[in-house]
Amino acid sequence: MVGEDEGSEHERRVEDFRSTRRVLEAGILPLATSVDGRRFSYQASLHGLELQPGSYVVLEDGDAALLGQVVTVELARTDGPDVAPRSGAETAGPRMRIAIRHAVGEGRLLAGPRTPFHDATVRPASAHEVEEHVRSFPPGRAALDVGELVLAPGVPLALDAAGFGRHTFLCGQSGSGKTYALGVVLERLLLETGLRLVVLDPNSDFVHLGELRAETDAAVAERFADLEGEIVVRRAGDGLGLRFPELDPGLQAAALRLDPVADREEYAELVALVSGVESLSLERLERLSAEGGEDARRLVERARNLGVDRWSIWAGSDGHSITADLDAGRRCLVVDIGSLETRQEQALAAATVLGELWQRRGRREAVLIVVDEAHNVCPGRPGDPLTAIATEHAVRIAGEGRKFGLYLLIASQRPQKVHENVLSQCDNLMLMRMNSLADLGFVGRLFSFVPPSLLERATDFPQGESLVAGPIAPHPALLGIGRRITAEGGGDVPADWAQPRG
């Protein structure tokens, strides 16, 4: 019985302590101070005011109401008064000091006059107040409706189309919704802008980009109908072809793994055989080499041993060459390099497209070059001569392409595998779920303008959630990707293997 009385007394003391601290903590006023009119620091009670990195607040200072975004939230403790637990009207124990817990942190001002202030009150921003800010686009700039703000439910977030005039990096691990999100962005660019797209598609994910879903809104479907015939898909056996003589000499040598110095005799023979020839097949090469000597014979053997003669990418004299599509000026060209059988053919196609676009740079035509699974197209350490050439072209476009109207949209689930000289030139980031802290750290170093507190959230993103930052977004924001309007390509492995056996 004594034990029960002691237990009850302990519970009363604990509850008395909690209620006293709750009263003291609730008295912490939500106040913010800014010394430069751009950033602010704040304090807030833990009770009632919900704050998290990326959330939106209004700072009220007299007649001014400033929209801000919380960047960091930390737990702070302040020594409170000494109190003694009570039992009824009597003191029941020794006095103790209560630690008052509250939130402190930093934020950035998104709108309002850029003047310092002190002790402005802080309150959550309404959906209307946030939407008023994110929808305020400069005149003449297309808005790309790609989804809604995660931390302001119901508020649509539109990307600034003009922001894609700078290079963009989209990354997310497998299953994060990266490919789906990329599809949404491409659809909106096609609908809302006149920007031309060239897509290197290694997994055949965008081969149905011109095919509307059955449930697509009628008004959107009518607008998309204007693009009929302007979205072209080239696959192996259906327009994705090349002619050997039209290749850059460096690509010809790389396809045959010829070194101009170490293999100078064979290289010279290749140049002589290709010169003036409109198309080249193994049979034609054999006929031409029959008139030559030992070097020509070895060249034929080399092509046969490497399997180059069996590549499906060769168009022949009457076949269609993908280079012709780069001159056609259509709004969107999807190069389905995933339909090619060998890794070497895929690298050759990518290198050719990137090289041809660079050669045409003098035309100064705005083109968005989309490279999906970029760790295969422009890796940090190319594993073969053809991939090395594709990487060189990507690096050159990343460094110098913008002044000629060549813009990159690089997508990958392996950021550390993509050539750093490509990623370091990207000003826009779309980050989806990334479980690897090493990858997140790498992304954080390259995109140092993105608050680390928002980057860290990427490990917990659900499928379809993204952090967007850079010129494409009004501010670093958490975005829930909207619905696609065209059909997805690719395919998933059936999951019925996981079902229990009967």
Side-chain angles (χ1 to χ4, degrees):
M1 192 69 175
V2 174
E4 291 181 5
D5 289 342
E6 289 178 351
S8 298
E9 180 63 25
H10 175 73
E11 291 175 2
R12 282 194 297 270
R13 291 179 181 179
V14 170
E15 183 55 36
D16 185 52
F17 178 86
R18 286 174 173 167
S19 61
T20 301
R21 181 157 71 174
R22 196 155 38 238
V23 170
L24 294 171
E25 290 179 344
I28 299 293
L29 296 176
L31 299 174
T33 295
S34 174
V35 296
D36 61 4
R38 297 181 178 276
R39 295 164 294 181
F40 64 88
S41 57
Y42 69 89
Q43 66 173 36
S45 171
L46 295 176
H47 305 278
L49 184 62
E50 295 183 1
L51 297 175
Q52 55 181 308
S55 60
Y56 302 94
V57 293
V58 171
L59 314 176
E60 296 178 328
D61 182 32
D63 294 332
L66 314 175
L67 181 67
Q69 183 183 37
V70 173
V71 175
T72 63
V73 181
E74 297 180 2
L75 179 65
R77 291 178 173 84
T78 303
D79 286 341
D82 292 342
V83 298
R86 307 183 67 83
S87 178
E90 302 295 331
T91 299
R95 299 179 69 82
M96 63 182 68
R97 178 162 295 179
I98 293 181
I100 303 174
R101 302 163 302 177
H102 58 287
V104 297
E106 305 290 328
R108 62 176 64 192
L109 292 165
L110 302 179
R114 301 294 191 179
T115 55
F117 56 83
H118 181 60
D119 283 347
T121 58
V122 183
R123 65 170 174 83
S126 68
H128 173 73
E129 289 167 321
V130 177
E131 184 170 3
E132 192 175 47
H133 168 68
V134 299
R135 299 298 291 188
S136 57
F137 271 81
R141 301 265 278 271
L144 311 180
D145 290 313
V146 295
E148 293 186 351
L149 288 171
V150 172
L151 298 180
V155 176
L157 178 66
L159 301 183
D160 186 348
F164 286 95
R166 293 182 176 272
H167 304 317
T168 303
F169 180 43
L170 167 59
C171 65
Q173 70 181 47
S174 178
S176 65
K178 172 178 64 66
T179 300
Y180 189 96
L182 180 55
V184 171
V185 171
L186 299 185
E187 291 168 353
R188 290 299 167 181
L189 283 168
L190 287 170
L191 272 177
E192 307 296 344
T193 77
L195 184 61
R196 186 179 171 202
L197 311 182
V198 174
V199 184
L200 293 179
D201 185 6
N203 290 331
S204 307
D205 287 318
F206 302 103
V207 295
H208 302 304
L209 195 56
E211 303 170 22
L212 288 174
R213 293 169 180 255
E215 65 273 17
T216 300
D217 178 78
V220 174
E222 184 177 355
R223 292 183 61 205
F224 210 84
D226 294 338
L227 294 168
E228 185 176 358
E230 289 297 309
I231 301 175
V232 176
V233 179
R234 296 304 186 194
R235 308 176 178 87
D238 186 17
L240 178 47
L242 289 171
R243 298 188 185 92
F244 192 85
E246 71 183 359
L247 298 181
D248 176 90
L251 281 176
Q252 294 175 350
L256 293 169
R257 300 190 183 183
L258 283 171
D259 185 281
V261 177
D263 307 303
R264 54 187 178 275
E265 291 86 1
E266 285 182 64
Y267 184 84
E269 188 67 27
L270 175 65
V271 172
L273 289 174
V274 172
S275 178
V277 176
E278 186 174 322
S279 64
L280 192 68
S281 63
L282 183 65
E283 292 77 13
R284 185 172 180 82
L285 186 63
E286 287 177 327
R287 288 197 300 270
L288 291 170
S289 64
E291 303 171 4
E294 182 64 18
D295 292 328
R297 185 187 63 78
R298 282 191 290 188
L299 193 61
V300 172
E301 290 179 349
R302 177 186 289 269
R304 183 182 287 113
N305 292 341
L306 291 173
V308 174
D309 59 309
R310 297 186 293 276
W311 288 357
S312 61
I313 198 170
W314 302 129
S317 57
D318 299 326
H320 181 82
S321 173
I322 192 68
T323 58
D325 290 305
L326 298 175
D327 283 324
R330 292 189 176 93
R331 277 294 312 282
C332 181
L333 170 64
V334 178
V335 185
D336 182 13
I337 60 178
S339 64
L340 296 167
E341 296 180 359
T342 68
R343 181 72 189 85
Q344 291 81 8
E345 290 174 89
Q346 295 173 7
L348 176 61
T352 300
V353 170
L354 293 174
E356 289 292 324
L357 288 170
W358 177 252
Q359 289 297 321
R360 290 162 169 76
R361 67 191 182 279
R363 302 178 184 182
R364 297 185 182 272
E365 299 172 347
V367 180
L368 181 67
I369 307 168
V370 183
V371 185
D372 196 14
E373 304 298 346
H375 52 278
N376 292 324
V377 174
C378 49
R381 296 181 178 180
D384 62 84
L386 289 172
T387 303
I389 293 176
T391 302
E392 289 173 8
H393 289 320
V395 170
R396 187 175 295 111
I397 292 171
E400 304 176 50
R402 282 186 53 240
K403 60 188 174 186
F404 299 106
L406 299 178
Y407 314 124
L408 288 172
L409 199 173
I410 300 295
S412 176
Q413 58 182 287
R414 300 298 308 277
Q416 295 193 78
K417 297 293 185 180
V418 181
H419 201 286
E420 190 165 346
N421 287 345
V422 174
L423 293 188
S424 63
Q425 298 299 317
C426 293
D427 293 315
N428 297 309
L429 174 66
M430 293 187 67
L431 174 66
M432 308 194 78
R433 186 175 71 248
M434 294 288 290
N435 288 340
S436 169
L437 295 181
D439 283 339
L440 274 180
F442 178 77
V443 172
R445 289 192 296 275
L446 287 178
F447 298 89
S448 56
F449 62 89
V450 182
S453 57
L454 296 184
L455 286 170
E456 291 167 0
R457 297 187 59 141
T459 57
D460 297 319
F461 283 169
Q463 187 179 53
E465 187 170 316
S466 173
L467 166 64
V468 293
I472 58 173
H475 57 271
L478 302 183
L479 167 69
I481 299 296
R483 299 183 65 181
R484 285 193 61 171
I485 61 177
T486 64
E488 295 177 73
D492 293 325
V493 176
D496 52 0
W497 58 267
Q499 298 174 359
R501 297 179 62 184

